[in-house]
Amino acid sequence: YAGGLVMTVNDLINKLLDYPSNMRVLTLGYEGGYNDVDLKTEEVVFNFSKNDAWYYGPHECVKFTDNDTGTKCLVVMRGK
């Protein structure tokens, strides 16, 4: 999703409707090649747009404190 826009599950579903339902989904491997996708949902606290360095993702997961509430997000990860 270019331009720093937030992608929702609904946005992702609409994009995926353009592809055959039996098409395999892959993600980039750690240092090369490709991995199967692993979808995880976790309720975590994020500091959004915390990182400025180009080599870090912009969002950072932080530990819960008594005052924090989690933001449930779908995280697309590399499978094993």
Side-chain angles (χ1 to χ4, degrees), residues 3-4 15 22 25-26 28 32 36 40 42 44-45 50 61 65 75-76 80:
K15 291 276 187 189
N22 63 343
V25 178
L26 303 173
L28 293 173
D36 290 300
K40 296 187 184 289
E42 296 181 34
V44 295
V45 176
K50 176 185 184 287
C61 176
T65 68
V75 178
V76 178
K80 293 184 178 189

Short mmCIF file of all heavy atoms in Angstrom, two decimals, residues 3-4 15 22 25-26 28 32 36 40 42 44-45 50 61 65 75-76 80:
data_model
loop_
_atom_site.label_atom_id
_atom_site.label_comp_id
_atom_site.label_asym_id
_atom_site.label_seq_id
_atom_site.Cartn_x
_atom_site.Cartn_y
_atom_site.Cartn_z
N GLY A 3 2.34 5.17 -0.38
CA GLY A 3 1.96 6.48 0.11
C GLY A 3 1.66 6.54 1.60
O GLY A 3 1.08 7.49 2.08
N GLY A 4 2.04 5.50 2.35
CA GLY A 4 1.84 5.52 3.78
C GLY A 4 0.40 5.31 4.22
O GLY A 4 0.05 5.59 5.34
N LYS A 15 -8.34 -6.39 -2.82
CA LYS A 15 -7.19 -6.57 -3.71
C LYS A 15 -7.05 -8.03 -4.14
O LYS A 15 -6.77 -8.34 -5.29
CB LYS A 15 -5.89 -6.13 -3.03
CG LYS A 15 -5.76 -4.67 -2.80
CD LYS A 15 -5.23 -4.03 -4.04
CE LYS A 15 -4.92 -2.57 -3.78
NZ LYS A 15 -4.61 -1.87 -5.00
N ASN A 22 -7.18 -20.05 -6.05
CA ASN A 22 -6.25 -21.14 -5.75
C ASN A 22 -4.79 -20.73 -5.98
O ASN A 22 -3.90 -21.57 -5.93
CB ASN A 22 -6.60 -22.37 -6.59
CG ASN A 22 -6.47 -22.12 -8.07
OD1 ASN A 22 -6.43 -20.98 -8.52
ND2 ASN A 22 -6.42 -23.20 -8.84
N VAL A 25 0.19 -17.93 -2.19
CA VAL A 25 0.63 -16.64 -1.67
C VAL A 25 1.98 -16.83 -0.99
O VAL A 25 2.13 -17.68 -0.11
CB VAL A 25 -0.40 -16.07 -0.67
CG1 VAL A 25 0.08 -14.74 -0.11
CG2 VAL A 25 -1.76 -15.91 -1.34
N LEU A 26 2.96 -16.03 -1.39
CA LEU A 26 4.32 -16.10 -0.85
C LEU A 26 4.74 -14.73 -0.35
O LEU A 26 4.15 -13.71 -0.70
CB LEU A 26 5.30 -16.57 -1.92
CG LEU A 26 5.01 -17.93 -2.58
CD1 LEU A 26 5.97 -18.16 -3.73
CD2 LEU A 26 5.09 -19.05 -1.56
N LEU A 28 8.61 -12.46 0.69
CA LEU A 28 10.06 -12.49 0.53
C LEU A 28 10.71 -13.23 1.68
O LEU A 28 10.30 -13.09 2.84
CB LEU A 28 10.62 -11.07 0.47
CG LEU A 28 10.23 -10.26 -0.75
CD1 LEU A 28 10.71 -8.82 -0.59
CD2 LEU A 28 10.80 -10.88 -2.01
N GLY A 32 16.82 -14.00 0.98
CA GLY A 32 16.64 -14.34 -0.42
C GLY A 32 15.57 -15.41 -0.54
O GLY A 32 15.10 -15.96 0.46
N ASP A 36 6.38 -19.30 2.33
CA ASP A 36 4.94 -19.28 2.42
C ASP A 36 4.54 -18.28 3.50
O ASP A 36 5.31 -17.97 4.41
CB ASP A 36 4.41 -20.67 2.77
CG ASP A 36 4.59 -21.63 1.60
OD1 ASP A 36 4.02 -21.35 0.53
OD2 ASP A 36 5.31 -22.62 1.75
N LYS A 40 -0.94 -14.15 11.47
CA LYS A 40 -1.11 -14.18 12.92
C LYS A 40 -1.89 -12.95 13.35
O LYS A 40 -1.68 -11.87 12.81
CB LYS A 40 0.24 -14.18 13.62
CG LYS A 40 1.07 -15.40 13.36
CD LYS A 40 2.31 -15.40 14.23
CE LYS A 40 3.21 -16.56 13.92
NZ LYS A 40 2.73 -17.85 14.31
N GLU A 42 -2.59 -10.80 16.83
CA GLU A 42 -2.18 -10.65 18.22
C GLU A 42 -2.67 -9.30 18.71
O GLU A 42 -2.69 -8.33 17.95
CB GLU A 42 -0.66 -10.70 18.35
CG GLU A 42 -0.05 -12.03 17.97
CD GLU A 42 1.46 -12.04 18.16
OE1 GLU A 42 1.94 -11.38 19.09
OE2 GLU A 42 2.12 -12.71 17.37
N VAL A 44 -1.63 -6.39 20.61
CA VAL A 44 -0.39 -5.80 21.09
C VAL A 44 -0.53 -4.29 21.10
O VAL A 44 -1.48 -3.74 20.55
CB VAL A 44 0.81 -6.20 20.19
CG1 VAL A 44 1.07 -7.69 20.26
CG2 VAL A 44 0.59 -5.77 18.76
N VAL A 45 0.41 -3.63 21.71
CA VAL A 45 0.46 -2.17 21.70
C VAL A 45 1.52 -1.75 20.70
O VAL A 45 2.65 -2.23 20.73
CB VAL A 45 0.82 -1.62 23.11
CG1 VAL A 45 0.97 -0.11 23.07
CG2 VAL A 45 -0.25 -2.02 24.11
N LYS A 50 6.99 5.26 14.71
CA LYS A 50 8.02 5.55 15.70
C LYS A 50 9.42 5.57 15.09
O LYS A 50 10.25 6.38 15.46
CB LYS A 50 7.97 4.49 16.82
CG LYS A 50 9.06 4.64 17.86
CD LYS A 50 8.99 3.49 18.85
CE LYS A 50 9.99 3.63 19.98
NZ LYS A 50 11.34 3.39 19.61
N CYS A 61 6.40 -2.52 18.11
CA CYS A 61 5.61 -3.18 19.14
C CYS A 61 6.25 -2.89 20.49
O CYS A 61 7.46 -2.98 20.63
CB CYS A 61 5.58 -4.68 18.87
SG CYS A 61 4.71 -5.63 20.12
N THR A 65 1.66 -2.00 29.50
CA THR A 65 1.71 -1.46 30.85
C THR A 65 0.27 -1.43 31.35
O THR A 65 -0.67 -1.68 30.60
CB THR A 65 2.31 -0.03 30.89
OG1 THR A 65 1.41 0.86 30.25
CG2 THR A 65 3.68 0.01 30.23
N VAL A 75 -0.92 -9.60 11.28
CA VAL A 75 0.49 -9.49 10.94
C VAL A 75 0.81 -10.60 9.94
O VAL A 75 0.61 -11.78 10.22
CB VAL A 75 1.38 -9.64 12.21
CG1 VAL A 75 2.84 -9.57 11.84
CG2 VAL A 75 1.00 -8.57 13.23
N VAL A 76 1.28 -10.23 8.75
CA VAL A 76 1.67 -11.20 7.73
C VAL A 76 3.15 -11.48 7.93
O VAL A 76 3.98 -10.57 7.87
CB VAL A 76 1.41 -10.64 6.31
CG1 VAL A 76 1.85 -11.63 5.26
CG2 VAL A 76 -0.06 -10.28 6.15
N LYS A 80 7.67 -20.95 7.90
CA LYS A 80 8.92 -21.72 7.98
C LYS A 80 9.02 -22.68 6.84
O LYS A 80 8.10 -23.12 6.27
CB LYS A 80 8.98 -22.48 9.31
CG LYS A 80 9.09 -21.53 10.46
CD LYS A 80 9.23 -22.29 11.75
CE LYS A 80 9.39 -21.29 12.87
NZ LYS A 80 9.74 -21.84 14.11
#
